[in-house]
Amino acid sequence: MTMPTIDDLVADLRPVRRLSPHAGLGLTFAMLLLVTALVLGIFGPRDDVASMRPAVIVLLRGGLCLLLGVAASVAVVAAARPGVGARRDGWQWALAAAALIPAASLWLTMAGDGVREPVSFYGPACLVISLVSALLIGSALVVWLRRGAVTDPVRAGWLVGLAAGALGTFAYSLHCPTTTVHFVALWYSLTIAVSSAIGRLAVPRLLHW
């Protein structure tokens, strides 16, 4: 029995194209645009969004969700191309910034501000529409990750859920009729948390080779 040589071992190998982070982010943003168009096409935009004069709370909640979603998406895309010493922790700062809204809601509650609106009809609608949107965006991120070599599927699962939840909630925020800090703190946070948990449970199973 002859021992295989190095030439024999590499004879069938073929070069592969390197994954471009720009392509991964492009895929994610294309899906975000599609989801946003679907939400606005089916449910319609807020009046102030349609007139290009959004309320301050609409700008804040949408901006924070978009910031968190983009930062987490960058980390997800980078996870497909692991590298020694590379740090992709910008999403942690974005998450800390987004936590300011729940903190503000808690402060106002302690100060005696009413919290009746968060339990209104719009809450479940926010959760369902945002999670369906997150599912579509998360699917695109999983497709991208499966093309690469993920070394930490659990972390990748959390990040996919976080990114998809934040971006899906951003899409819904352009329609969301409510403008209270308490509603945003409860339902937007709940949506992102649920999406992150789903990502943690489902995504690692989809990344096994």
Side-chain angles (χ1 to χ4, degrees), residues 16 18-19 22 32 35 41 49 56 62 71 73 82 100 113 126 129 131 135 137-138 140-141 171 174 180 196 201-202:
V16 296
R18 294 183 60 188
L19 290 177
H22 298 93
L32 172 61
V35 166
V49 171
V56 174
S73 295
L100 291 175
D113 186 54
C126 168
I129 296 172
L131 285 179
L135 177 63
I137 297 171
L141 289 170
L174 301 178
T180 69
S196 299
L201 295 174

Side-chain angles (χ1 to χ4, degrees), residues 1-13:
M1 179 177 179
T2 59
M3 296 297 293
T5 65
I6 293 179
D7 290 338
D8 294 329
L9 293 174
V10 302
D12 295 333
L13 297 181

Side-chain angles (χ1 to χ4, degrees), residues 88-173:
R88 302 290 189 276
D89 54 4
W91 64 271
Q92 298 177 13
W93 294 100
L95 183 59
L100 291 175
I101 288 186
S105 174
L106 179 60
W107 177 272
L108 291 174
T109 301
M110 294 175 62
D113 186 54
V115 291
R116 291 184 300 274
E117 189 176 357
V119 295
S120 70
F121 162 80
Y122 297 111
C126 168
L127 184 65
V128 173
I129 296 172
S130 298
L131 285 179
V132 171
S133 301
L135 177 63
L136 297 176
I137 297 171
S139 298
L141 289 170
V142 171
V143 168
W144 174 257
L145 287 177
R146 287 176 60 87
R147 296 180 57 192
V150 179
T151 59
D152 191 345
V154 172
R155 180 176 183 273
W158 280 117
L159 288 173
V160 167
L162 180 64
L167 294 178
T169 306
F170 164 77
Y172 173 78
S173 73

